Amino acid sequence: MAEKKQAKSKIKIVKPLKKEVKQTKELLSDLNSKINNSEVSEKDKRLTLIKTHKKITNLLLKTIPYLLFLFILDVVMLSVITVLFILSAFILDGTAADIVRYILLGVSAFMLAKFTYMNWFSKNLYFKKIIVFKYKSKVDRQKFRAVREISFTPIWFLIFFVASNFYITILVNFEIQQNFVSTGDNKVLIWAILRTTIDMMLLPSFLNSFNKIADKSKAIDANYVKLIKDQYFSNKSLFEDVEFEDNYLNLKFSKNSLTSKNGLFILVNKDDLTRPDQGRMIEINNEILDRYKEIWESYVDLLENRMKAKFNKATVHKLFWLERIYDTIFLDLFEI
């Protein structure tokens, strides 16, 4: 009996997102009760639809502390630069103004260098990520984590990123032109070299950011839209008739001959894993499948209810970004 209890404890799986799953089900239940209630006005139904799915998608988005810290740091530095500029340009004069001006240029140079680096190497990540699933267990007495994180960057973040650095560039150019460049000496040459360097560094970065903004506004993958999203009414049971391929390498959707990407599920190699470990990994894979199924049911609910009502432009814009979160998850899932 003791051996059985010990074996059972070994295959325990920690499910950190269990609370979120429960909340999602409760939110959908409340939403559908209001949608199907004839006494609720159409306006209230539309507002409830948006609010409910905003709460559901917020459960999928998790704040990454160090990325949030970097974003707050950017905001603080931007505020510091603004204060320094006001002090040097309008309040202080003489030596004090010169000292503040040099500090302003130093801080601005750091921010512009950071902007250039982050754009060249695509490091300007939003401080929230989509967490599809997150499980903890043990394999061969070693801790094991199964996590799926997807980067998701809203357009406001990219616009803020570009606008703030454009603003800093204007201040830097103004300060240098106003206080360090005078005609008739070799400072003009130095300024020309410096200006050219700044332009060469920042222009590709700005273009890269503008391209990202344009990409965010483009329609999502056409195959995904035509096969899955636009035909959601025929794909309600998409996750019902599925089976895992050999060794749980990926998932096969029988109804529309789609497969999932490799690496999303845990590879179960019977030659390398003990029976208890195999059972543990198979259980986690089934949990991951259930997680995708739950998210798909939420998305179908949004798509169905969206078609039942008319929305103004502002609400359509909100729906667009809610759908983008769901779309990001399933574009990451399917091999299309």
Side-chain angles (χ1 to χ4, degrees), residues 16-170:
L17 298 178
K18 190 175 181 180
K19 182 180 178 182
E20 284 82 348
V21 172
K22 183 180 179 181
Q23 287 178 326
T24 299
K25 290 180 179 179
E26 291 174 351
L27 287 168
L28 287 175
S29 177
D30 292 341
L31 171 63
N32 287 309
S33 64
K34 289 184 178 180
I35 293 290
N36 297 321
N37 189 345
S38 58
E39 296 180 359
V40 179
S41 67
E42 291 300 319
K43 182 180 179 181
D44 288 339
K45 288 180 181 180
R46 291 194 295 268
L47 291 173
T48 303
L49 176 66
I50 296 293
K51 289 180 180 178
T52 299
H53 279 280
K54 191 172 183 180
K55 289 179 181 178
I56 292 173
T57 52
N58 283 338
L59 292 173
L60 293 167
L61 291 168
K62 300 298 178 183
T63 301
I64 310 301
Y66 83 93
L67 291 177
L68 178 60
F69 170 77
L70 290 177
F71 175 71
I72 294 173
L73 181 63
D74 284 345
V75 174
V76 171
M77 295 292 275
L78 190 63
S79 302
V80 169
I81 288 171
T82 302
V83 171
L84 291 174
F85 174 74
I86 293 171
L87 288 173
S88 65
F90 304 107
I91 298 176
L92 300 176
D93 54 19
T95 305
D98 290 338
I99 293 172
V100 171
R101 195 168 290 119
Y102 281 115
I103 296 173
L104 167 63
L105 292 174
V107 175
S108 299
F110 168 77
M111 291 295 290
L112 293 177
K114 175 176 170 289
F115 170 69
T116 303
Y117 166 78
M118 293 181 76
N119 266 285
W120 280 1
F121 296 98
S122 299
K123 298 289 186 180
N124 51 333
L125 298 175
Y126 183 48
F127 53 83
K128 288 186 178 182
K129 288 187 177 182
I130 299 173
I131 308 295
V132 183
F133 58 82
K134 187 175 182 180
Y135 297 103
K136 297 178 182 179
S137 185
K138 285 188 177 182
V139 178
D140 194 23
R141 298 181 181 179
Q142 300 295 322
K143 290 183 179 180
F144 172 80
R145 295 172 71 245
V147 182
R148 190 62 179 179
E149 295 182 352
I150 309 172
S151 295
F152 177 78
T153 306
I155 197 167
W156 72 260
F157 181 79
L158 292 174
I159 292 173
F160 167 81
F161 198 73
V162 172
S164 60
N165 285 278
F166 182 70
Y167 168 71
I168 293 172
T169 305
I170 292 174

Side-chain angles (χ1 to χ4, degrees), residues 200-259:
M200 289 181 66
M201 287 177 60
L202 293 179
L203 185 58
S205 298
F206 279 117
L207 289 175
N208 188 26
S209 294
F210 287 131
N211 286 334
K212 288 180 181 178
I213 293 173
D215 287 340
K216 290 291 177 183
S217 301
K218 287 180 181 177
I220 54 177
D221 189 279
N223 288 332
Y224 164 78
V225 172
K226 291 177 181 178
L227 288 172
I228 300 173
K229 184 176 180 178
D230 284 354
Q231 300 189 60
Y232 69 89
F233 43 82
S234 294
N235 286 313
K236 289 182 181 180
S237 58
L238 181 64
F239 285 84
E240 297 294 340
D241 192 10
V242 296
E243 59 181 7
F244 286 102
E245 298 281 18
D246 293 341
N247 295 331
Y248 289 78
L249 184 63
N250 54 24
L251 195 65
K252 183 179 179 181
F253 297 80
S254 303
K255 290 185 177 180
N256 47 23
S257 300
L258 290 173
T259 58

Side-chain angles (χ1 to χ4, degrees), residues 275-286:
R275 282 187 176 275
D277 287 340
Q278 289 177 36
R280 201 156 35 245
M281 297 303 101
I282 290 172
E283 186 178 348
I284 292 178
N285 280 332
N286 288 325

